Amino acid sequence: MEHEVADSREAWEANAVFWDAAMGDASNAFHRQTVRPGVTDLLNPQPGDFVLDVACGNGNYAAYLAERGVDVLAFDFSPRMIELARCRQERYTDRIEFVVADATDADSLRSLARARPFTKAVSNMAIMDIAALDNLFDAVHRLLVEDGIFVFATQHPCFVTRTERYSTPHSYRGEAIPGQPQEHLYFHRSLQDIFEACFTHGFVIDGFRGSCFAAEREIPAVIIVRARKVASERRLR
């Protein structure tokens, strides 16, 4: 896994400037039409929320939340991407803290704890880019308030893959935006494996969306999941 994390970080460091330019201030049509509406519906951000933004990229969704009175701690494992996010979202420094952290590393994730607990967590199209999920889901559960939620969007594992394997977890290289400097690693997991990561680490799933990019196409490209932290006493029953 360490080798895959290093390879993945290298690709995103190489792609950071290209991705920041491609996403701009508003993100691309895919994110605006296919990802953001469903994520926001399930997240239901409210003024006063404190949200952990996992693998935040250039910070556009963090800015979207900040505009709605939400405080955000946003992290990514690419130092270059965080540098670009801080620059692009400079007007929101009173609401957003950007930090470098690795979603696969337990010590790195522990460093995200703040005096104020997180009410919610979110991840937009990054679960499929993360080499291992156990440390992330464990940390998010620990960092959230009781009954807090983690909403994540990721590519639909049944319909979006470059291989013919579904049940067996595996990685492959691909290009998300045509022309990006390097292909990056995707980590395929079945729906069962994604849901199991939630259940193993103390979440229940109480919201789910399948989202299509083109209105005339009924095959969903994205799944959006709301995982809710189960109170400790309820887990013991």
Side-chain angles (χ1 to χ4, degrees):
M1 188 190 78
E2 290 182 6
H3 178 69
E4 288 183 317
V5 172
D7 283 353
S8 185
R9 183 184 290 107
E10 179 182 349
W12 283 108
E13 285 284 275
N15 291 332
V17 172
F18 176 91
W19 265 74
D20 179 49
M23 289 296 176
D25 290 326
S27 295
N28 60 13
F30 180 82
H31 275 260
R32 292 195 308 270
Q33 298 172 22
T34 310
V35 181
R36 184 173 294 178
V39 167
T40 303
D41 181 44
L42 291 180
L43 189 67
N44 189 25
Q46 298 294 317
D49 273 335
F50 186 28
V51 175
L52 180 67
D53 187 353
V54 177
C56 64
N58 78 343
N60 279 352
Y61 194 71
Y64 180 83
L65 294 174
E67 289 172 352
R68 285 149 182 79
V70 175
D71 294 324
V72 185
L73 175 61
F75 76 91
D76 201 282
F77 76 157
S78 164
R80 183 61 173 141
M81 193 72 82
I82 288 297
E83 179 184 350
L84 293 165
R86 287 173 178 154
C87 180
R88 183 171 291 278
Q89 314 302 346
E90 186 176 9
R91 63 196 181 280
Y92 298 113
T93 53
D94 61 328
R95 291 255 177 224
I96 308 172
E97 179 187 359
F98 287 107
V99 298
V100 177
D102 182 350
T104 69
D105 184 84
D107 290 335
S108 186
L109 291 164
R110 276 192 286 271
S111 74
L112 300 172
R114 297 294 184 268
R116 177 185 177 189
F118 296 98
T119 56
K120 297 169 182 176
V122 68
S123 180
N124 287 286
M125 302 306 290
I127 293 296
M128 72 275 193
D129 299 327
I130 298 172
L133 299 183
D134 280 339
N135 285 337
L136 174 63
F137 278 76
D138 180 67
V140 171
H141 188 274
R142 292 175 184 276
L143 291 167
L144 283 172
V145 297
E146 294 294 342
D147 209 40
I149 59 171
F150 179 23
V151 176
F152 59 90
T154 189
Q155 65 186 22
H156 202 306
C158 299
F159 304 115
V160 183
T161 179
R162 292 181 64 179
T163 77
E164 295 183 355
R165 288 181 290 166
Y166 172 75
S167 298
T168 305
H170 60 278
S171 63
Y172 60 89
R173 292 189 179 274
E175 181 183 67
I177 300 180
Q180 67 185 58
Q182 284 189 27
E183 290 189 332
H184 61 273
L185 281 169
Y186 287 94
F187 299 92
H188 171 86
R189 301 170 181 94
S190 67
L191 279 175
Q192 175 178 314
D193 290 335
I194 294 169
F195 289 176
E196 189 64 26
C198 297
F199 304 145
T200 298
H201 296 288
F203 291 98
V204 296
I205 294 172
D206 69 353
F208 184 84
R209 302 280 188 278
S211 185
C212 306
F213 184 33
E216 68 277 8
R217 181 176 172 84
E218 293 191 6
I219 298 176
V222 172
I223 60 169
I224 305 169
V225 178
R226 182 172 63 207
R228 187 174 299 274
K229 179 176 178 174
V230 179
S232 301
E233 59 273 16
R234 289 165 59 193
R235 292 178 67 189
L236 295 175
R237 292 177 184 174

